[in-house]
């Protein structure tokens, strides 16, 4: 058709294949959102929660077979298998189009097809990017409205431009046998069918902002990372920004919204983002971060007014809850919200909940919340130029190996620390929970290309920056021999952030160890926190046997990349082995007086 834009042409083409009854172009307005919500309440897709205590809040119960990301059904479809690398599932683009194209034929019959133009990032930022998602799920539309800047604001930027990432999504028949999440990074295209779950269906999030964007970032000299972003305010009012990569459900959101027990000393955390950061080298030679998202898709279980009061406040209104339980009074409920489950609780599947039976809320139940509602949201979270990053954290759940915190020797060593990351698995993806898996930079499920090239890109980014951030590794999850956590975590983590801040400023008492700098025994601010004798030593100690095994595991993981693994990673691995062989370990800061 004459005068048609690229989006219109694509929408027509998709409609011809999927054959929806109706096509609706989303404008992103309040009125449109309410109409959608009412429609879903009408057909049972949503349940209205208590509007007095939870205004604007709804509950969605998903198909019980569709509650988490399905990594084994997620594919990177590059023309050459090597470009996807050994850690991604790969399907040839031709095969993918044939196999999965068939599933889209007539998949929207009897349904409305929604066209969602959206922006990832602040509307005026030079670092933001456009996407268009086509979906037949009104639940996806409502969630996309909370998670992105969508509708007219995006359409205005789109007009006359072909520079958008198309993402086609259909619920299909929701069968895991016909579920595929496909990425065609060379064409910048996403196809997802058979799932309505957040990470599989809200295509702006993991599919675009991480898998496709990581590919775009390598080509364009920037990074798309699975990172939270915070600002740590010091007593002078100066704010230092920190990005942090943690695997799914490892407390990234809680850290992003930390309430400091040391506010009386003048330290406070501001939230910029809780899941994804796009990092560019700014004109000032510093790494600048934007949060491409506009909302939080947080894990409910374990969230409480003790663990994350900011999230509890944010999720008290205008929130979509997915797969949580519900009280007889119509309030959402999940394990960990309060100590005792209320009487008459209905579980996430809609059945009467009985103590001792299944959990009331699914372990990966979620809430979708507009970011602006968070009391700790940074006044700079939507700055067009992003915020300057001074430190990057890598962390995971490690019961034994990693000390509470350590600092890398250099950018290159820091990249190796990130590449060597591992964590015990959680419920955010289907599969066994609690198994240690290597998860470089928390990007294993999200890197859209060969991770060996990704490590190389990280190394190269170091030389693009005049002031590269310092790189740290943290571990809130270290346990003693009886399996008890050694560190209280949550708000107390601010003590670790304060040490990091000091280190970034060239201060902060540290001890040089084979793995990096760890805090000196008296390096952390302990005002108001009393740990049992010896606990700090244990938290900061380095166990030779555990590290020998760690080295071996890292080596095995790296081996799968063959020649493609950058030499810098091999060198750092060898250097670590050498440093470890030279010293007497276990080593705890108390045993050494060598400061730095
Ligand atoms: C998420 C995830 O939803 O990492 O953020 O699974
Ligand atoms: Mn995540």
């Amino acid at each position: 058709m004459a005068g048609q834009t690229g989006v219109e042409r694509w929408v027509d083409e998709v409609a011809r294949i999927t054959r929806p009854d109706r096509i609706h172009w989303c404008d992103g307005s309040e009125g449109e959102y309410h109409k959608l919500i009412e429609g879903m309440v009408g057909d049972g897709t949503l349940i209205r929660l208590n509007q007095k205590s939870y205004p604007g809040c709804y509950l969605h119960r998903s198909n019980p077979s569709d509650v988490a990301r399905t990594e084994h059904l997620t594919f990177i479809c590059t023309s050459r298998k090597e470009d996807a690398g050994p850690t991604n599932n790969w399907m040839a683009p031709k095969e993918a189009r044939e196999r999965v194209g068939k599933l889209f034929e007539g998949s929207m019959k009897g349904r409305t097809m929604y066209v969602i133009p959206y922006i990832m990032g602040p509307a005026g930022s030079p670092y933001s990017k456009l996407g268009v998602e086509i979906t037949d799920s009104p639940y996806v539309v409502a969630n996309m409205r909370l998670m992105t800047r969508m509708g007219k604001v995006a359409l205005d930027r789109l007009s006359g431009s072909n520079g958008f990432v198309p993402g086609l999504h259909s619920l299909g028949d929701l069968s895991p046998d016909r579920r595929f999440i496909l990425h065609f990074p060379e064409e910048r295209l996403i196809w997802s069918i058979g799932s309505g779950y957040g990470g599989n269906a809200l295509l702006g999030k993991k599919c675009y902002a991480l898998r496709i964007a990581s590919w775009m970032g390598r080509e364009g000299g920037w990074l798309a990372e699975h990172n939270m972003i915070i600002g740590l305010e010091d007593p002078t009012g100066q704010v230092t920004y920190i990005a942090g990569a943690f695997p799914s459900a490892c407390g990234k959101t809680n850290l992003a919204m930390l309430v400091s027990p040391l506010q009386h000393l003048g330290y406070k955390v501001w939230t910029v983002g809780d899941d994804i950061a796009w990092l560019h080298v700014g004109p000032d030679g510093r790494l600048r971060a934007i949060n491409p998202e506009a909302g939080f898709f947080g894990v409910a279980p374990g969230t409480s007014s003790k663990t994350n009061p900011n999230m509890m406040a944010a999720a008290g209104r205008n929130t979509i809850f997915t797969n949580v339980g519900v009280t007889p009074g119509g309030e959402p409920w999940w394990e960990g919200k309060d100590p005792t489950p209320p009487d008459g609780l209905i579980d996430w599947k809609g059945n009467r909940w009985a103590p001792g039976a299944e959990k009331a809320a699914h372990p990966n139940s979620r809430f979708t919340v507009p970011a602006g509602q968070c009391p700790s949201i940074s006044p700079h979270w939507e700055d067009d130029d992003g915020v300057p990053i001074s430190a990057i954290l890598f962390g995971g759940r490690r019961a034994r190996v990693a000390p509470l915190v350590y600092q890398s020797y250099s950018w290159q060593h820091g990249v190796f620390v990130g590449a060597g990351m591992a964590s015990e698995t959680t419920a955010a993806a289907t599969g066994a929970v609690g198994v240690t898996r290597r998860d470089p930079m928390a990007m294993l499920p999200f890197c859209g290309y060969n991770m060996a090239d990704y490590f190389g890109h990280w190394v190269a980014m170091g030389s693009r920056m005049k002031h590269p951030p310092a790189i740290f590794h943290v571990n809130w999850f270290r346990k003693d021999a009886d399996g008890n956590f050694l560190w209280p975590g949550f708000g107390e983590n601010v003590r670790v952030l304060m040490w990091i801040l000091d280190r970034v400023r060239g201060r902060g008492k540290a001890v040089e160890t084979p793995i990096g700098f760890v805090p000196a025994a008296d390096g952390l601010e302990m005002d108001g926190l009393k740990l049992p004798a010896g606990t700090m030593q244990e938290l900061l100690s380095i166990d030779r046997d555990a590290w020998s095994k760690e080295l071996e595991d890292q080596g095995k993981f790296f081996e799968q990349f063959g020649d493609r693994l950058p030499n810098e990673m091999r060198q750092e691995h060898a250097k670590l082995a050498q440093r470890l062989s030279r010293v007497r370990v276990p080593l705890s800061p108390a045993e050494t007086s060598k400061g730095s």
Side-chain angles (χ1 to χ4, degrees), residues 441-522:
M441 278 95 167
M443 281 289 277
L444 186 79
F446 306 121
C447 186
Y449 60 102
N450 190 317
M451 281 203 114
D453 301 346
Y454 170 74
F455 303 146
H457 178 44
W458 260 85
V459 172
M461 283 294 291
S463 49
R464 288 173 181 263
M465 286 178 272
K466 208 153 70 209
H467 310 287
I471 297 180
F472 298 81
H473 188 282
V474 298
N475 177 24
W476 320 131
F477 301 94
R478 186 125 172 197
K479 291 182 175 168
D480 65 15
D482 299 327
N484 305 307
F485 286 114
L486 288 163
W487 177 248
F490 300 106
E492 304 299 350
N493 293 339
V494 75
R495 299 171 196 276
V496 174
L497 299 180
M498 284 165 64
W499 181 77
I500 287 170
L501 180 66
D502 278 346
R503 293 297 294 168
V504 164
R505 295 192 176 157
R507 303 191 299 254
K509 287 199 212 159
V511 176
E512 195 175 333
T513 79
I515 63 165
F517 296 107
V518 302
D522 60 347

Side-chain angles (χ1 to χ4, degrees), residues 2 23 49 84 108 115 155 183 212 221 225 234 237 290 312 332 356 454 474 479 512 536 554 591:
I23 300 180
L49 293 171
M108 298 191 186
V115 182
L155 205 55
H183 306 75
I212 298 289
E225 296 299 322
D234 71 13
I290 60 160
M312 291 304 284
Y454 170 74
V474 298
K479 291 182 175 168
E512 195 175 333
M536 190 46 86
Q554 286 180 349
E591 294 174 60

